[in-house]
Amino acid sequence: MVDDCPVHNMATFDIVQAEPTALLYKRPDGAALAGRESRRLKELFKDFGVQPSTVAVMGQMGFTLSTLVNMKDEEVDFLIKSMIEEYHLDLLMGEQFGIKAAIRAKRRVLEEETEQQRMDLINRSNEKKRRVEEPSDGLLLKDGHTSLEALGLLGLTDPESDSEGKKVTKRRQRKRRSKEVGEDGEERPREHPFIVTEPGEPAKGKKNGLDYLFDLYEQCGKFLEEVQHIAKEKGEKCPSKVTNEVFRHAKLTGAGYINKPKMRDYVHCYALHCLDVDMSNNLRKEFKERGENVGAWCQACYFPLVQLARSNEWDIDDLFNRNDKLRIWYVPTKLRQLCHIERMKHCE
């Protein structure tokens, strides 16, 4: 009989078993993913006065946390306008500002984390380089005392040694001694290339004055506009801040005197000049009269900025972003850290 055929029975068994196996290839339900993204949006806006219904609409529109933090300010404005006009949401003024503030705060946290990771990599790289270049001998003087070279303060070697290896080490250390690592990890000349001058005072000697320094930042703004124009013509993404691309463009156009290490050193000084020119001018006059150098003046520029941040609810990024000349510059890491330290003191 056909029913007793082993081949037929085997085929029937395979067909029955194949049906549930096909369920393994069914597309997963997106509800879990949507729920997780919804929680991330709620967490983003929870402390900024944005109503849950507003957050829900943004989720329905397809916006995610990653999308929002990578949007430009004008794109966020367009989102708010769309919710009001197309979705007929009655957004309060506080909600509109809360949406912007929440996105800006999250973006700032991500930037700080990225910057910290970058600094950690730079520090590890510099430490590894230092260990490679550091000599294993020549650490003791003849009288048995540890030399300054061993402490990393001076690149001195044994004066009586004439071996080629120590000569090479001496040249390397002399070169390294003439440089130092700044906040952004860049090696730069130890000596400041400027002198303290009062507003309108011409510099004397080989070094330039502070009016010249601030003019360099104005030039950077113009170079950024040129880079943005070139990017638009090519259909590429336009940078909104002064980046390495801007410094490279400046060098290609003959402005090699504008470089990243120099400009990053004095961003906070320029910030004080833009935010409170009277305070900046008074500080310049005071340090000029006392005969202080640029290094001391540079450090003194931090304190007034911390006070300005305090009066702005410690939001130093907001001070930069609301100023037409400063919004193209990143907030220096040291300035951000000082604001955080002072804020913690006041919280206590």
Side-chain angles (χ1 to χ4, degrees):
M1 296 177 62
V2 176
D3 292 338
D4 294 334
C5 178
V7 176
H8 180 270
N9 289 338
M10 184 178 299
T12 304
F13 178 80
D14 288 343
I15 293 174
V16 172
Q17 294 298 320
E19 291 180 357
T21 308
L23 296 176
L24 297 175
Y25 298 97
K26 183 179 179 181
R27 290 188 61 183
D29 188 3
L33 296 177
R36 183 166 66 250
E37 192 58 47
S38 176
R39 289 192 295 271
R40 295 176 68 187
L41 288 177
K42 291 178 182 178
E43 182 69 21
L44 172 64
F45 294 109
K46 71 174 184 178
D47 296 325
F48 292 89
V50 182
Q51 298 184 38
S53 58
T54 303
V55 179
V57 170
M58 281 189 277
Q60 293 171 6
M61 296 172 70
F63 287 97
T64 65
L65 175 64
S66 299
T67 303
L68 292 173
V69 297
N70 284 284
M71 289 169 60
K72 299 179 180 178
D73 292 340
E74 54 268 25
E75 293 172 335
V76 176
D77 291 333
F78 181 77
L79 164 63
I80 295 174
K81 182 179 178 181
S82 298
M83 287 194 294
I84 295 174
E85 296 181 354
E86 299 181 16
Y87 285 78
H88 307 290
L89 285 182
D90 186 15
L91 289 182
L92 301 175
M93 183 66 69
E95 278 193 282
Q96 297 182 35
F97 280 98
I99 292 172
K100 296 180 181 180
I103 294 174
R104 187 167 60 242
K106 185 62 176 179
R107 188 184 299 142
R108 184 165 61 244
V109 170
L110 295 176
E111 289 176 351
E112 289 178 352
E113 291 176 352
T114 303
E115 177 67 15
Q116 185 60 47
Q117 293 174 0
R118 188 180 71 88
M119 292 300 298
D120 291 341
L121 289 174
I122 291 174
N123 291 335
R124 286 197 292 268
S125 176
N126 290 335
E127 178 65 18
K128 186 180 297 184
K129 184 187 298 183
R130 185 189 65 80
R131 290 177 178 176
V132 171
E133 295 182 350
E134 188 176 64
S136 59
D137 54 356
L139 299 184
L140 298 176
L141 297 178
K142 288 189 174 182
D143 57 2
H145 297 291
T146 303
S147 68
L148 293 177
E149 174 193 354
L151 300 177
L153 300 179
L154 290 177
L156 300 177
T157 57
D158 187 351
E160 295 184 6
S161 172
D162 56 356
S163 66
E164 185 62 24
K166 291 188 177 181
K167 288 181 180 179
V168 172
T169 299
K170 185 175 182 179
R171 286 196 298 270
R172 286 180 177 176
Q173 290 177 333
R174 186 183 298 116
K175 181 178 181 181
R176 189 167 70 248
R177 187 171 67 247
S178 65
K179 298 181 178 180
E180 63 179 357
V181 178
E183 293 175 10
D184 56 1
E186 293 285 338
E187 287 189 343
R188 65 199 59 176
R190 184 181 298 273
E191 186 178 6
H192 291 275
F194 304 98
I195 60 173
V196 178
T197 57
E198 296 185 16
E201 177 189 3
K204 300 178 181 179
K206 296 182 179 181
K207 295 185 178 181
N208 293 299
L210 299 184
D211 286 343
Y212 173 81
L213 170 63
F214 294 152
D215 182 66
L216 294 181
Y217 288 94
E218 307 287 337
Q219 293 183 47
C220 282
K222 296 178 182 178
F223 284 124
L224 173 60
E225 292 177 357
E226 293 178 6
V227 170
Q228 291 173 336
H229 179 72
I230 295 173
K232 288 180 180 178
E233 289 184 340
K234 295 181 178 180
E236 300 175 350
K237 183 178 180 180
C238 295
S240 59
K241 294 185 182 292
V242 176
T243 60
N244 291 338
E245 185 179 0
V246 176
F247 293 122
R248 287 194 294 267
H249 175 72
K251 185 176 182 180
L252 290 174
T253 57
Y257 51 87
I258 293 181
N259 55 71
K260 178 179 176 180
K262 182 192 299 181
M263 304 311 296
R264 291 287 172 85
D265 267 344
Y266 306 98
V267 170
H268 68 288
C269 304
Y270 178 64
L272 180 61
H273 174 73
C274 294
L275 295 173
D276 193 338
V277 66
D278 292 333
M279 172 65 73
S280 175
N281 290 342
N282 291 335
L283 201 62
R284 292 170 61 177
K285 293 177 182 178
E286 178 183 348
F287 275 71
K288 173 65 185 302
E289 293 173 356
R290 287 161 47 181
E292 299 280 1
N293 60 25
V294 166
W297 166 79
C298 183
Q299 293 299 316
C301 288
Y302 282 111
F303 179 75
L305 289 172
V306 174
Q307 297 304 309
L308 290 174
R310 179 184 180 185
S311 62
N312 195 52
E313 298 183 353
W314 299 107
D315 195 346
I316 188 65
D317 290 86
D318 181 62
L319 290 177
F320 271 60
N321 292 331
R322 286 194 287 111
N323 187 282
D324 291 336
K325 295 182 178 180
L326 285 182
R327 62 165 54 106
I328 65 174
W329 294 96
Y330 289 103
V331 177
T333 302
K334 183 176 181 179
L335 175 58
R336 194 189 303 280
Q337 292 172 343
L338 290 173
C339 290
H340 177 73
I341 292 172
E342 287 299 312
R343 182 180 184 180
M344 292 299 99
K345 289 181 180 178
H346 285 81
C347 290
E348 294 175 358

